[in-house]
Structure formats: C-alpha cells, structure tokens
Amino acid sequence: MKKTVVASVVLATVSLHAAVAITEKSTGYDFPSRSPRLGKLHALGVRKKGPIKVYAVGMYEDVLKHKGFMLQMAMGVGAQKMTNALVDAVKPRLTDDAPALDKFSALLLSGLPDGCKKGMCLLFGTAGGKLSLIVDDKLVGSVQSKPLTRAFADVYCDDKAVCKLTPV
C-alpha cells in the first residue's frame, strides 16, 4: 500500500511538472516550460513590426546547451514574407556558407505551403550542427550547417536581436 501511494504521488508530481506552461503576457500564448524537442524554456519575447505583434518566441536550451526556438504566430503572414524576414535577419549574421541560407529559404517555403496562420507553431532546433524546422508538430526537414545554426540563434540572442528576450 505504501509503495502504491508513493508511486502515485511521484507520478502526479511528474505529470504536474510536465504540464507547466509559462504565458507570454502580451500575446497570451503559453509556452511549455520543457519541450521534448528543444529542452528547457529560458526566455520569452515578442517579434513586432512597429506596433504589430507578429509572433511570440520562446528560447529553449537542451542539456548540451544547444538553443532552440518556438515561434507562435500572433498574426497570419504569407510564406514568402515570413521566409524573407527570417532569411534577411540571418543573412548579415552568416559570415560563410551562403548555400546553407538558400537551403534554409527553400526549407521554409516548403514547410509553409499556405503561409503562417495565426496560432501556427514553428520550432527551430540547432542541435548537431543542423538547423531543423518543425511546423505544427510535423518535421519539415533540416539544413546541416554550424554557421547557419549560430547565425539563426544570434537573430534572437545577439546585441542586434530582432526582439528582446526576457529570462523566465
């Protein structure tokens, strides 16, 4: 009986911990405190164009310190426009490996055939020296390039980041 009660308490605690979400206040979007694909949530922010909130972003980090980013769309954006915006943000941060940027652009366009709809979730992982893209829980693909993964992370983490990330 004692083992059953302890096991139940442990399972309940694990379930509660796994279900914890942190809300990005200005958009109201919830971000899981842990993502099985990206790791632990470290910071939240909002990408704006003028006063318009385009997407909420969560920065994650896995146990090996690889960064990952969850983007939750706050408004609809066409595929070409979203792709151009991300490519334009990465381009000045990518000192070499221009072919990887072209592959990244093609990957985005293939993963967003109907554009980015409000509420859509995009995951970008940087583990293993490759930039991976998952759209609404479906793996689109990845581009193998350490310089590209660093440049993409810098879009959100360097001193010229596209938005301010606040630690959680």
Side-chain angles (χ1 to χ4, degrees):
M1 171 71 173
K2 196 174 193 177
K3 285 183 183 180
T4 304
V5 171
V6 170
S8 296
V9 170
V10 168
L11 284 174
T13 303
V14 169
S15 296
L16 279 174
H17 183 69
V20 172
I22 299 172
T23 303
E24 192 293 308
K25 291 181 184 6
S26 73
T27 61
Y29 282 114
D30 289 333
F31 287 80
S33 59
R34 291 198 178 276
S35 164
R37 292 186 164 130
L38 301 175
K40 182 181 176 196
L41 180 64
H42 279 267
L44 291 173
V46 178
R47 173 66 169 127
K48 295 180 182 177
K49 286 301 273 183
I52 300 168
K53 297 169 191 167
V54 181
Y55 56 83
V57 60
M59 184 190 78
Y60 290 79
E61 204 170 83
D62 68 16
V63 294
L64 298 175
K65 304 294 183 189
H66 298 118
K67 287 182 173 52
F69 301 88
M70 179 182 291
L71 280 54
Q72 295 190 50
M73 300 304 297
M75 62 177 284
V77 178
Q80 191 66 56
K81 192 169 193 171
M82 185 68 173
T83 298
N84 290 346
L86 288 172
V87 167
D88 289 348
V90 170
K91 193 174 193 173
R93 295 168 170 90
L94 187 63
T95 55
D96 57 357
D97 204 0
L101 193 59
D102 293 336
K103 290 176 185 173
F104 175 60
S105 177
L107 183 68
L108 278 167
L109 287 171
S110 72
L112 305 170
D114 299 319
C116 291
K117 303 213 181 306
K118 183 176 180 175
M120 181 178 272
C121 183
L122 288 77
L123 302 181
F124 295 91
T126 64
K130 66 182 177 182
L131 185 59
S132 60
L133 172 62
I134 296 168
V135 176
D136 285 341
D137 290 325
K138 293 180 185 143
L139 177 64
V140 176
S142 62
V143 177
Q144 185 72 42
S145 170
K146 286 182 183 178
L148 179 63
T149 62
R150 283 191 299 270
F152 187 86
D154 285 348
V155 167
Y156 300 99
C157 299
D158 70 11
D159 59 348
K160 295 179 183 176
V162 298
C163 63
K164 182 181 188 293
L165 293 179
T166 305
V168 293

